[in-house]
Amino acid sequence: MPETTEHIVIVGAGAAGLMAARELARAGRKVTVLEARERCGGRILPLPVSEFGYPAAGGAEFVHGEAPVTRGLLREAGLSLHEIAGEQWSFDGTALLREERDDPHEAKLQAVLKDLKDDLSVAEFLRRHFAGDDYAPMRQSIERMVEGYDAADPERASTLALREEWMDGGHAPQARIDGGYGALIDFLAADCRKSGVTIHLGAVVSAIEEDGDTAAVRCGGGDVHACDRVILTVPLPLLREMALPASAREKLAAAADDIGFGNVIKILLRFARPWWRERHEDLAAMTFLLSDRTIPVWWTQYPSGQAVLTGWFGGPRTAELESLGPQGLIAAGLDSLAAIFKLPREDVARELVAATATNWAHDPFARGAYSWATPRTRAAQAVLARADGLVLFSGEALYRGRDMGTVEAALASGQETAEMILRG
Ligand SMILES: Cc1cc2nc3c(=O)[nH]c(=O)nc-3n(C[C@H](O)[C@H](O)[C@H](O)COP(=O)(O)OP(=O)(O)OC[C@H]3O[C@@H](n4cnc5c(N)ncnc54)[C@H](O)[C@@H]3O)c2cc1C
């Protein structure tokens, strides 16, 4: 059989781009990856062990649910996972309380969800089925989850897409990779190079043109890469900034607004000592801590004993902190912790030995954190995934399984796009 010389350019060296590149190169295609940043990984952002004491994550950190593609790759890479057990706590404005998942209306919620046939927004679902005052705590907890965890707007988020998450009783199991997602990206990038993939870093793609059976991918610096096909894996907001051939532009115009894209602010604070455990012995097994403060969600590295607290704020209300840079966000994090633990702010700040904060909306090559589904998202994904034209869309936002917006979604989407090309 003659060797194929088909050349595929992949834009983006995140999880989706690297996965697609590896599959295509292994099948004999010539593959070039163009990545705007000076590193691979995209929204997987490993932080220096020297600063945080372990392979900390400024972006993706947890493996959610079954994640078969991720787990398969981890096995290949010889990397292991550890499940996250531990306790969830909350601060209601006055006291720290151990959270028990015992909402009295849980059974009714499950029954109504089970019978749901037509999709509607989460906010509309709650108004229609759980309007009474009795349901206020449950409504608040669902909205908090949709905003904080899915980074979504309850007025637009799809109830059917989130139903499986809720029906499984939350998001368990969750796990972390020993070595972090960075180790997985290192493995993938090395495997790509071994398979003959060329990865150009610092290559910001600004335009793609089609001319008959060939495409030209233009970079900001003036480089042009001629190829037979292009796979675009950049985050949704970046797609709108690129000059694209008419067929790709039309698909985007018809579909992209029907896929939600949310934001997250993530803050890591490393302290000299785990002062929260020393002050409250009963917090020894705390993982997550939910609060009503500016930075509402915090977690520890439990069962590992690192003196690091990670702060998280997701969803549309992150726009309220739009004006804050990293130092302002770190200050807001310290304020929130001081209020939650009823400590003088200086006492908390004095223990700080390393800190970092990212408002992902400010990241020029992400412009937010991850996508979420509206009731029209599945139809929009079907339009974007169509293989007409030389430009194909891939990445976490294109994933049609559950757990959209995850690394698993990105890996599975990259794999699917590669398989689609290989099928011809
Ligand atoms: C704060 C945060 C926490 C998260 N936590 C989790 C978690 O715990 N678990 C989980 O599973 N997922 C998590 N996610 C989501 C997960 O990180 C993403 O879904 C996944 O990494 C997306 O991969 P991707 O390949 O689709 O996109 P990306 O990783 O964004 O890759 C796209 C690449 O395209 C590049 N690019 C952009 N514009 C251009 C251009 N013009 N030219 C060339 N290259 C360009 C980008 O630099 C990037 O490297 C988190 C995300 C964030 C931001």
Side-chain angles (χ1 to χ4, degrees), residues 317-332:
R317 286 180 301 126
T318 53
E320 293 162 16
L321 301 189
E322 165 67 23
S323 64
L324 297 184
Q327 289 312 316
L329 292 173
I330 291 166

Side-chain angles (χ1 to χ4, degrees), residues 112-113 116-129 153-162 166 373-376:
V112 177
L113 282 171
L116 194 66
K117 300 275 182 301
D118 299 321
D119 206 358
L120 72 178
S121 77
V122 171
E124 186 53 32
F125 170 79
L126 293 176
R127 280 194 289 270
R128 209 173 281 180
H129 298 280
D153 177 355
E155 290 292 346
R156 292 187 60 220
S158 151
T159 305
L160 283 184
L162 295 174
W166 301 344
T374 73
R376 296 158 67 98

Side-chain angles (χ1 to χ4, degrees), residues 11-18 34-37 39-44 58-64 174 181 203-206 233-235 238 242 264-266 299 312 358 360 363-366 368-371 394-397 403-411 413:
V11 185
L18 292 177
L34 302 175
E35 167 55 51
R37 301 176 201 263
R39 61 170 183 83
C40 294
R43 285 170 272 168
I44 290 171
E61 178 168 344
F62 302 101
V63 176
H64 304 286
Q174 291 200 102
Y181 271 117
V204 182
V205 171
S206 55
T233 73
V234 306
L238 273 302
M242 233 174 246
V264 166
I265 291 170
K266 190 171 179 184
W299 65 76
W312 177 275
T358 307
W360 278 84
D363 182 294
F365 301 117
Y370 42 82
S371 61
S394 189
E396 55 87 10
D403 292 323
M404 198 176 160
T406 59
V407 174
E408 171 72 12
L411 293 170
S413 172

Side-chain angles (χ1 to χ4, degrees), residues 61-67 71 74-75 79-87 171-178 285 287-288 300-304:
E61 178 168 344
F62 302 101
V63 176
H64 304 286
E66 290 175 14
R71 285 174 197 259
L74 290 172
R75 275 192 298 275
L79 293 165
S80 51
L81 273 176
H82 58 271
E83 298 273 326
I84 295 160
E87 300 167 357
H171 300 279
Q174 291 200 102
R176 287 192 182 94
I177 301 169
D178 294 320
T287 48
F288 291 92
T300 65
Q301 289 298 310
Y302 180 82
S304 154

Side-chain angles (χ1 to χ4, degrees), residues 47-54 56 268-271 308 353-356:
L47 299 170
V49 176
S50 57
E51 268 183 58
F52 289 94
Y54 69 102
L268 278 94
L269 305 178
R270 181 185 185 185
F271 297 99
V308 173
V353 291
T356 184

Side-chain angles (χ1 to χ4, degrees), residues 152-198:
D153 177 355
E155 290 292 346
R156 292 187 60 220
S158 151
T159 305
L160 283 184
L162 295 174
R163 170 164 79 172
E164 285 172 60
E165 280 175 20
W166 301 344
M167 291 195 66
D168 287 355
H171 300 279
Q174 291 200 102
R176 287 192 182 94
I177 301 169
D178 294 320
Y181 271 117
L184 188 63
I185 288 295
D186 289 346
F187 168 77
L188 260 184
D191 224 27
C192 278
R193 290 187 172 108
K194 221 185 296 164
S195 312
V197 175
T198 307

Side-chain angles (χ1 to χ4, degrees), residues 108 123-136 138-139:
K108 179 171 176 198
E124 186 53 32
F125 170 79
L126 293 176
R127 280 194 289 270
R128 209 173 281 180
H129 298 280
F130 298 97
D133 288 349
D134 272 11
Y135 299 120
M138 189 179 83
R139 281 199 306 271

Side-chain angles (χ1 to χ4, degrees), residues 316-373:
R317 286 180 301 126
T318 53
E320 293 162 16
L321 301 189
E322 165 67 23
S323 64
L324 297 184
Q327 289 312 316
L329 292 173
I330 291 166
L334 291 170
D335 288 342
S336 296
L337 288 176
I340 294 167
F341 289 97
K342 297 194 169 72
L343 285 168
R345 187 191 188 281
E346 313 77 73
D347 290 7
V348 180
R350 202 178 305 121
E351 298 287 341
L352 194 64
V353 291
T356 184
T358 307
N359 179 345
W360 278 84
H362 293 170
D363 182 294
F365 301 117
R367 299 218 197 281
Y370 42 82
S371 61
W372 47 269

